[in-house]
Amino acid sequence: MKDRLYLYDTTLRDGAQTNGVDFTLSDKLAIAHMLAEIGIDYIEGGYPGANPLDTELFAQDHGIGATFTAFGMTRRPGRSAANDPGMAMLLDAQADAICFVAKTWDYHVRVALETTPEENLASIRDSVAAAKARGREVLVDCEHFFDGFKANPDFALACAETAWREGARWVVLCDTNGGTLPHEVERIVGEVVKRVPGAHVGIHAHNDTEQAVANSLAAVRAGARQIQGTLNGLGERCGNANLMSLIPTLKLKPAYADHLEIGVDDAALGRLTRVSRRLDEMLNRAPNRHAPYVGASAFVTKAGIHASAILKDPATYEHVAPESVGNRRDLLVSDQGGRSNVLAELARIGLTVDKNDPRIGTLLDVVKERQAIGYAYESAPASFELLARRVFGTVPDYVEVLKFDVNVEHRINALNKRVTATVAVVKVQVGDGEPLISAAEGIGPVHALDLALRKDLGKYQEYIQGLELTDYRVRILDGGTGAVTRVLIESQDETGASWTTVGVSPNIIDASFQALMDSIVYKLVRSGAPA
C-alpha cells in the first residue's frame, strides 16, 4: 500500500501576490477548473472579504470538483469567533474547506499581533472549533513556523498541536520568509510528526533561496503528507514551490513514486506542459524556456556529441521521457552541433535524406557561417527548415520582393498634437503576372511593413489570411548604434500552430523584413501552396 500524498494549489491566492499578476474572476474560475481536471486535491480560491473579487468568487458554489478552499485569518485577539467580521466572511463563504493562517513565532505574536502566547493559542482553538461547527474541513497554515521553531520550539509546536487536537485536518508548516534550508526542514518536520501525525502535516515553502521544491520534498521525506504550491512557481517575492516541478518528480522518480500516490494520473501528467503554458498565455507572460520538465528547453540538446547519443538512445541524456509530461525533444541546429543534430532535425521536418548525402555537409557549413554573423537557428527552427529545404531544392520561388520602402514621419497633427506616422510600401512579383504594389500604415515600421507585405500576394493571399505576428524580439549583437541586429519573429496561424523565424542585418528594418518573409514563406510551405 502506498501513502496518499495530497496536493494543495494556492495559485489563485498566494500566486496572485506575484508582481505583475492580476487575475480576473473568469481567470480564477478557468484556472480552478484546469487544476481540478489534472487532479489537484485542494484549490485555494482566495481570501473572502479581503477584496471584492474574492468576495464575489466565494458568493456561490462554482462546482469546481476539488476541495475548494477559502483562506483567512484566525479570530483577532480580544474578540470572540462569533464577533469577528473576518471570521464571519470565512464561515459564510461557499467553500468546502477553510484554511486559517495563524502566528506560530512568538516574536510575531508579541510584535505584530501585540498579544500573549496564551491568547494566540486560544485564537487557534476557537477558530478551528467555529469552522468545524459549520461542517467545514479545516487547515491551519502555521505562519513563520520554521523561524518560530528555531526561536522557541515549544511555542511553535504548541501552536501546531493545538490546531490538530482541536480538529484541524491539516497542520501546514510554512517557511514564510523562504530562508530555511532542506536539511533544516527535514529535521524540524521530523520533530513535528512526533507530536502531530504526518498524515495531518503539510508544507508551504517559499522560494527565496531557490529551494522551495527541495524543501517540500524534504518535508515529505520526514513524514509530511500534503504539499502546497503554485503553477509555474508563482507567488510573492521569489515565488512558491513549483507544482510543475513537484508533480513529475513525485510521479516519475522511484524515491517517491514507489511509496507515495498523488491524485494526478498518467494522462493528466501528460497535460502538464500544456497547463503550464496555458497559464502563461492567460497572464500574457513569456513561458520560462528553462523550466524543469515543462520548459521549451527542458529536453533540448545543442552539443553534437550529446545529439549523437540521443539518436541511439534518448535515455543517454534524458532523465525522463519528454512525452510523459507533454513536452517534446529537440536537437538544435547550431554552430556547436554536428551531423547528428542536422539529421535529427531533417527527420523531424519530414525530409528523408541519406546520411552520406554531401549536401548535409554543405548545410552544416552554411549554418555555421550564418550563425557566425548572428543567425540563431536554435531559436528559429522555421528559418532553419526553409534553409534546409532550399539546400535540398524543395522550396518554390513563391514571391520575389522587388523593393520596399518605409517612411516614418514625426509631425504636429490637426489637433496640434505631436504624432508619429509610419507608412510602408512593398512591391512584389508573384509568378508571371504584373508586379503587385501594396501600402499600409502601422503603429511602427515593422507593423506597417508586415501589413503591407501581407496585403496582396495575389494567388497566395488565401493561404496567409489567418497568419499573424504574436511576438517580436530584437537583440543588438555588438555595441553602438550601427551594430548588427538580430530579429526573432514568432507567428501563428488559424490552426493555432506557431513558429519562429530570424533575420540579421546592421539595419533593423532589413533584419525584420527577412524574418517577416521567412514567416510568410514558411506558412506557404506548411499549407502546401503550389509553385
Side-chain angles (χ1 to χ4, degrees):
M1 291 289 293
K2 295 183 179 182
D3 280 359
R4 181 67 157 88
L5 178 64
Y6 293 84
L7 300 177
Y8 182 110
D9 181 273
T10 180
T11 301
L12 305 181
R13 199 273 306 172
D14 223 336
Q17 298 183 53
T18 307
N19 185 21
V21 169
D22 293 292
F23 294 121
T24 64
L25 181 59
S26 60
D27 287 339
K28 284 203 168 193
L29 291 172
I31 293 167
H33 284 289
M34 191 163 63
L35 289 165
E37 286 169 5
I38 63 171
I40 300 299
D41 300 293
Y42 293 81
I43 300 170
E44 189 175 78
Y47 193 153
N51 59 72
L53 188 152
D54 284 357
T55 300
E56 184 180 356
L57 177 65
F58 286 100
Q60 58 182 296
D61 184 354
H62 298 286
I64 300 301
T67 302
F68 199 56
T69 307
F71 176 90
M73 294 285 292
T74 53
R75 72 157 177 84
R76 299 177 190 174
R79 286 181 178 264
S80 67
N83 191 33
D84 186 310
M87 282 286 297
M89 294 291 291
L90 281 173
L91 296 174
D92 290 340
Q94 293 293 310
D96 306 303
I98 294 174
C99 181
F100 292 108
V101 58
K103 300 292 185 185
T104 56
W105 186 1
D106 59 352
Y107 166 70
H108 269 254
V109 170
R110 185 176 68 254
V111 174
L113 293 184
E114 297 182 328
T115 191
T116 64
E118 293 74 22
E119 172 65 6
N120 189 71
L121 291 171
S123 176
I124 295 172
R125 268 195 308 270
D126 295 347
S127 301
V128 173
K132 291 283 291 181
R134 293 285 288 268
R136 305 298 174 77
E137 182 176 340
V138 181
L139 304 90
V140 175
D141 273 8
C142 295
E143 189 183 34
H144 293 286
F145 182 83
F146 294 94
D147 293 311
F149 185 94
K150 294 173 193 176
N152 186 340
D154 290 338
F155 178 70
L157 287 169
C159 292
E161 194 169 8
T162 295
W164 174 62
R165 292 196 179 282
E166 198 58 45
R169 169 67 179 88
W170 292 104
V171 177
V172 183
L173 313 179
C174 302
D175 185 27
T176 310
N177 284 343
T180 310
L181 302 179
H183 70 281
E184 297 175 300
V185 169
E186 195 159 0
R187 176 180 63 82
I188 292 171
V189 173
E191 292 300 315
V192 173
V193 298
K194 295 175 183 177
R195 305 272 286 270
V196 177
H200 294 271
V201 174
I203 178 71
H204 178 109
H206 281 258
N207 204 36
D208 297 71
T209 61
E210 193 64 34
Q211 294 177 97
V213 168
N215 282 341
S216 299
L217 295 173
V220 169
R221 288 196 301 273
R225 288 299 177 260
Q226 186 197 85
I227 294 176
Q228 294 194 359
T230 59
L231 294 180
N232 294 347
L234 293 182
E236 190 175 25
R237 303 186 312 274
C238 304
N240 287 47
N242 189 350
L243 290 177
M244 296 292 95
S245 298
L246 281 163
I247 290 170
T249 298
L250 295 167
K251 284 283 292 181
L252 300 174
K253 297 301 179 182
Y256 301 98
D258 285 353
H259 66 96
L260 295 170
E261 183 179 24
I262 61 175
V264 180
D265 61 22
D266 291 344
L269 183 69
R271 297 196 298 272
L272 279 196
T273 298
R274 190 168 67 210
V275 167
S276 171
R277 295 177 189 176
R278 173 66 182 133
L279 178 68
D280 284 325
E281 257 178 46
M282 294 173 69
L283 298 176
N284 197 27
R285 289 159 44 118
N288 176 9
R289 297 186 60 85
H290 303 286
Y293 295 105
V294 297
S297 296
F299 298 96
V300 164
T301 297
K302 188 172 179 178
I305 190 171
H306 293 186
S308 177
I310 285 174
L311 287 173
K312 295 170 184 173
D313 185 352
T316 53
Y317 282 95
E318 291 175 353
H319 66 108
V320 299
E323 299 81 10
S324 64
V325 292
N327 210 336
R328 53 170 282 185
R329 175 183 305 116
D330 267 331
L331 303 180
L332 297 181
V333 176
S334 74
D335 57 353
Q336 294 185 36
R339 294 176 67 90
S340 297
N341 298 62
V342 171
L343 284 167
E345 187 62 11
L346 292 176
R348 187 190 68 79
I349 64 180
L351 280 178
T352 303
V353 180
D354 186 279
K355 65 179 182 179
N356 297 315
D357 191 317
R359 290 175 296 179
I360 294 173
T362 300
L363 176 59
L364 188 57
D365 288 342
V366 173
V367 167
K368 291 185 176 183
E369 287 171 7
R370 290 171 72 84
Q371 293 225 163
I373 61 174
Y375 287 86
Y377 290 112
E378 64 203 70
S379 302
S383 285
F384 169 76
E385 180 172 339
L386 292 178
L387 178 64
R389 289 185 180 279
R390 288 182 177 116
V391 168
F392 289 94
T394 60
V395 178
D397 293 325
Y398 294 114
V399 179
E400 180 186 1
V401 179
L402 301 177
K403 64 175 290 187
F404 70 83
D405 177 69
V406 180
N407 181 53
V408 180
E409 182 183 7
H410 194 62
R411 56 183 168 79
I412 304 296
N413 68 9
L415 300 175
N416 202 35
K417 291 185 178 179
R418 189 174 295 277
V419 296
T420 301
T422 307
V423 176
V425 179
V426 177
K427 184 178 181 180
V428 299
Q429 181 79 45
V430 179
D432 298 327
E434 292 294 317
L436 302 172
I437 300 175
S438 300
E441 185 172 344
I443 57 175
V446 177
H447 182 233
L449 201 53
D450 176 45
L451 294 177
L453 188 57
R454 292 191 288 117
K455 197 169 187 178
D456 185 5
L457 286 185
K459 65 180 181 179
Y460 298 122
Q461 192 64 27
E462 62 177 295
Y463 295 96
I464 63 168
Q465 291 296 340
L467 179 64
E468 62 176 336
L469 262 65
T470 56
D471 196 13
Y472 175 83
R473 303 190 297 277
V474 177
R475 182 178 175 190
I476 305 301
L477 300 181
D478 46 32
T481 56
V484 173
T485 303
R486 176 195 297 148
V487 169
L488 291 168
I489 287 179
E490 187 173 310
S491 306
Q492 182 174 296
D493 68 10
E494 68 281 358
T495 69
S498 63
W499 57 89
T500 303
T501 51
V502 62
V504 173
S505 172
N507 185 306
I508 189 172
I509 304 301
D510 182 47
S512 301
F513 191 78
Q514 291 176 37
L516 284 170
M517 277 304 300
D518 265 11
S519 176
I520 289 172
V521 174
Y522 184 78
K523 169 61 175 170
L524 294 175
V525 170
R526 274 181 55 89
S527 302

